[in-house]
Short mmCIF file of all heavy atoms in Angstrom, two decimals:
data_model
loop_
_atom_site.label_atom_id
_atom_site.label_comp_id
_atom_site.label_asym_id
_atom_site.label_seq_id
_atom_site.Cartn_x
_atom_site.Cartn_y
_atom_site.Cartn_z
N SER A 356 -7.48 17.69 -43.66
CA SER A 356 -8.49 18.65 -43.20
C SER A 356 -9.65 18.65 -44.19
O SER A 356 -9.51 18.24 -45.34
CB SER A 356 -7.89 20.04 -43.09
OG SER A 356 -7.70 20.55 -44.37
N SER A 357 -10.80 19.14 -43.69
CA SER A 357 -12.01 19.07 -44.49
C SER A 357 -11.93 19.95 -45.73
O SER A 357 -12.62 19.70 -46.71
CB SER A 357 -13.19 19.51 -43.63
OG SER A 357 -12.89 20.73 -43.01
N MET A 399 -20.05 10.29 -36.15
CA MET A 399 -19.25 11.23 -36.94
C MET A 399 -18.64 10.48 -38.11
O MET A 399 -18.35 9.29 -38.00
CB MET A 399 -18.11 11.79 -36.10
CG MET A 399 -18.54 12.79 -35.08
SD MET A 399 -18.36 14.45 -35.74
CE MET A 399 -19.07 15.37 -34.38
N PHE A 404 -11.50 12.71 -42.14
CA PHE A 404 -11.96 13.64 -41.10
C PHE A 404 -11.58 13.06 -39.73
O PHE A 404 -11.70 11.85 -39.52
CB PHE A 404 -13.49 13.79 -41.23
CG PHE A 404 -14.14 14.62 -40.17
CD1 PHE A 404 -13.70 15.91 -39.91
CD2 PHE A 404 -15.22 14.12 -39.44
CE1 PHE A 404 -14.31 16.69 -38.94
CE2 PHE A 404 -15.84 14.89 -38.47
CZ PHE A 404 -15.38 16.17 -38.22
N THR A 405 -11.15 13.92 -38.81
CA THR A 405 -10.65 13.43 -37.52
C THR A 405 -11.75 13.11 -36.51
O THR A 405 -11.48 12.49 -35.48
CB THR A 405 -9.72 14.48 -36.89
OG1 THR A 405 -10.41 15.74 -36.90
CG2 THR A 405 -8.42 14.60 -37.66
N GLY A 406 -12.98 13.58 -36.79
CA GLY A 406 -14.06 13.43 -35.81
C GLY A 406 -14.39 11.98 -35.49
O GLY A 406 -14.68 11.64 -34.34
N HIS A 445 -21.76 10.87 -30.00
CA HIS A 445 -20.92 11.94 -30.52
C HIS A 445 -21.53 12.32 -31.85
O HIS A 445 -21.66 11.48 -32.75
CB HIS A 445 -19.47 11.43 -30.70
CG HIS A 445 -18.54 12.45 -31.25
ND1 HIS A 445 -17.46 12.14 -32.04
CD2 HIS A 445 -18.51 13.80 -31.12
CE1 HIS A 445 -16.81 13.23 -32.37
NE2 HIS A 445 -17.43 14.26 -31.83
N GLY A 476 -19.56 18.87 -31.58
CA GLY A 476 -18.54 19.85 -31.97
C GLY A 476 -18.33 19.81 -33.46
O GLY A 476 -19.20 19.36 -34.21
N ALA A 477 -17.19 20.32 -33.88
CA ALA A 477 -16.75 20.35 -35.28
C ALA A 477 -17.35 21.50 -36.08
O ALA A 477 -16.94 21.75 -37.21
CB ALA A 477 -16.99 19.03 -36.01
N GLU A 478 -18.31 22.20 -35.50
CA GLU A 478 -18.88 23.38 -36.19
C GLU A 478 -19.36 24.35 -35.12
O GLU A 478 -19.68 23.94 -33.99
CB GLU A 478 -20.04 22.96 -37.10
CG GLU A 478 -21.23 22.39 -36.33
CD GLU A 478 -22.40 21.97 -37.23
OE1 GLU A 478 -22.23 21.92 -38.46
OE2 GLU A 478 -23.48 21.71 -36.67
N PRO A 479 -19.42 25.63 -35.47
CA PRO A 479 -19.91 26.59 -34.47
C PRO A 479 -21.41 26.39 -34.21
O PRO A 479 -22.14 26.08 -35.14
CB PRO A 479 -19.69 27.96 -35.14
CG PRO A 479 -18.98 27.71 -36.42
CD PRO A 479 -19.06 26.26 -36.73
N ASN A 498 -19.66 20.68 -25.46
CA ASN A 498 -18.97 21.24 -26.62
C ASN A 498 -17.54 20.73 -26.70
O ASN A 498 -16.81 20.76 -25.72
CB ASN A 498 -19.00 22.77 -26.50
CG ASN A 498 -18.68 23.47 -27.80
OD1 ASN A 498 -18.30 22.84 -28.79
ND2 ASN A 498 -18.83 24.78 -27.81
N CYS A 499 -17.17 20.28 -27.88
CA CYS A 499 -15.83 19.73 -28.12
C CYS A 499 -15.20 20.50 -29.28
O CYS A 499 -15.80 20.61 -30.34
CB CYS A 499 -15.97 18.26 -28.47
SG CYS A 499 -14.53 17.52 -29.24
N TYR A 500 -14.00 21.00 -29.05
CA TYR A 500 -13.33 21.79 -30.10
C TYR A 500 -12.02 21.12 -30.51
O TYR A 500 -11.32 20.53 -29.68
CB TYR A 500 -13.05 23.21 -29.58
CG TYR A 500 -12.11 24.01 -30.46
CD1 TYR A 500 -12.55 24.54 -31.66
CD2 TYR A 500 -10.77 24.19 -30.10
CE1 TYR A 500 -11.70 25.25 -32.49
CE2 TYR A 500 -9.90 24.91 -30.92
CZ TYR A 500 -10.37 25.44 -32.12
OH TYR A 500 -9.52 26.13 -32.94
N GLY A 501 -11.69 21.26 -31.76
CA GLY A 501 -10.40 20.79 -32.23
C GLY A 501 -10.25 21.05 -33.70
O GLY A 501 -11.20 21.47 -34.36
N LEU A 502 -9.09 20.81 -34.22
CA LEU A 502 -8.85 20.99 -35.65
C LEU A 502 -7.77 20.00 -36.08
O LEU A 502 -6.91 19.63 -35.28
CB LEU A 502 -8.44 22.43 -35.98
CG LEU A 502 -7.19 23.01 -35.34
CD1 LEU A 502 -6.76 24.24 -36.14
CD2 LEU A 502 -7.45 23.44 -33.91
N SER A 503 -7.87 19.55 -37.33
CA SER A 503 -6.97 18.51 -37.82
C SER A 503 -5.50 18.88 -37.59
O SER A 503 -4.69 18.03 -37.23
CB SER A 503 -7.14 18.29 -39.31
OG SER A 503 -8.46 18.41 -39.69
N GLU A 504 -5.17 20.14 -37.84
CA GLU A 504 -3.76 20.56 -37.77
C GLU A 504 -3.19 20.35 -36.37
O GLU A 504 -1.99 20.20 -36.20
CB GLU A 504 -3.61 22.03 -38.16
CG GLU A 504 -3.98 22.32 -39.61
CD GLU A 504 -5.47 22.60 -39.81
OE1 GLU A 504 -6.30 22.14 -38.99
OE2 GLU A 504 -5.82 23.28 -40.79
N GLY A 507 -6.85 17.05 -33.98
CA GLY A 507 -8.28 16.82 -34.17
C GLY A 507 -9.08 17.16 -32.93
O GLY A 507 -8.66 18.00 -32.14
N PRO A 508 -10.23 16.51 -32.72
CA PRO A 508 -11.07 16.83 -31.57
C PRO A 508 -10.33 16.57 -30.27
O PRO A 508 -9.47 15.70 -30.20
CB PRO A 508 -12.24 15.85 -31.71
CG PRO A 508 -11.77 14.77 -32.62
CD PRO A 508 -10.79 15.42 -33.55
N ASP A 567 -9.89 30.77 -35.82
CA ASP A 567 -11.08 30.65 -34.96
C ASP A 567 -11.12 31.77 -33.93
O ASP A 567 -10.09 32.13 -33.35
CB ASP A 567 -11.10 29.30 -34.25
CG ASP A 567 -11.34 28.16 -35.21
OD1 ASP A 567 -12.11 28.35 -36.18
OD2 ASP A 567 -10.74 27.08 -35.03
N ILE A 588 -16.52 28.92 -29.38
CA ILE A 588 -15.93 29.47 -30.61
C ILE A 588 -17.02 30.18 -31.40
O ILE A 588 -18.07 29.60 -31.69
CB ILE A 588 -15.31 28.35 -31.49
CG1 ILE A 588 -14.42 27.41 -30.66
CG2 ILE A 588 -14.58 28.91 -32.70
CD1 ILE A 588 -13.15 27.98 -30.14
N ARG A 591 -15.15 31.30 -37.58
CA ARG A 591 -13.83 31.61 -38.10
C ARG A 591 -13.80 33.04 -38.58
O ARG A 591 -14.82 33.58 -39.01
CB ARG A 591 -13.51 30.67 -39.26
CG ARG A 591 -13.57 29.21 -38.91
CD ARG A 591 -13.46 28.36 -40.13
NE ARG A 591 -12.19 28.58 -40.80
CZ ARG A 591 -11.04 28.06 -40.39
NH1 ARG A 591 -11.00 27.29 -39.32
NH2 ARG A 591 -9.94 28.30 -41.04
N LYS A 688 -20.45 18.72 -41.54
CA LYS A 688 -20.62 20.08 -41.04
C LYS A 688 -21.70 20.77 -41.87
O LYS A 688 -21.72 20.64 -43.09
CB LYS A 688 -19.31 20.84 -41.17
CG LYS A 688 -18.17 20.18 -40.40
CD LYS A 688 -16.89 20.97 -40.55
CE LYS A 688 -15.74 20.18 -39.96
NZ LYS A 688 -14.89 20.94 -39.08
O1 DLL B 913 -13.62 19.56 -37.02
C1 DLL B 913 -12.19 18.35 -35.52
C2 DLL B 913 -13.34 18.02 -34.66
C3 DLL B 913 -14.03 16.83 -34.86
C4 DLL B 913 -13.70 18.85 -33.60
C5 DLL B 913 -15.06 16.50 -34.02
C6 DLL B 913 -14.75 18.51 -32.76
C7 DLL B 913 -15.42 17.34 -32.97
P1 DLL B 913 -11.39 20.12 -38.95
O2 DLL B 913 -12.24 19.41 -39.91
O3 DLL B 913 -9.96 20.33 -39.26
O4 DLL B 913 -11.40 19.39 -37.55
O5 DLL B 913 -12.08 21.53 -38.72
C8 DLL B 913 -11.59 22.38 -37.73
O6 DLL B 913 -13.80 23.30 -37.31
O7 DLL B 913 -10.87 25.30 -36.94
C9 DLL B 913 -13.24 25.33 -36.28
O8 DLL B 913 -13.39 26.35 -37.26
C10 DLL B 913 -14.34 24.30 -36.45
N1 DLL B 913 -14.71 23.71 -35.16
C11 DLL B 913 -14.30 22.55 -34.64
N2 DLL B 913 -14.89 22.34 -33.43
C12 DLL B 913 -15.67 23.43 -33.18
C13 DLL B 913 -16.51 23.84 -32.10
C14 DLL B 913 -12.51 19.16 -36.77
N3 DLL B 913 -16.71 23.09 -31.03
C15 DLL B 913 -12.44 23.62 -37.64
N4 DLL B 913 -17.11 25.05 -32.20
C16 DLL B 913 -11.99 24.53 -36.54
C17 DLL B 913 -16.93 25.83 -33.28
C18 DLL B 913 -15.53 24.31 -34.29
N5 DLL B 913 -16.16 25.49 -34.32
#
Side-chain angles (χ1 to χ4, degrees):
S356 74
S357 50
M399 286 265 175
F404 175 54
T405 51
H445 179 211
E478 65 180 11
N498 197 352
C499 164
Y500 168 76
L502 60 162
S503 324
E504 295 87 335
D567 291 324
I588 311 291
R591 302 171 62 77
K688 301 180 189 228

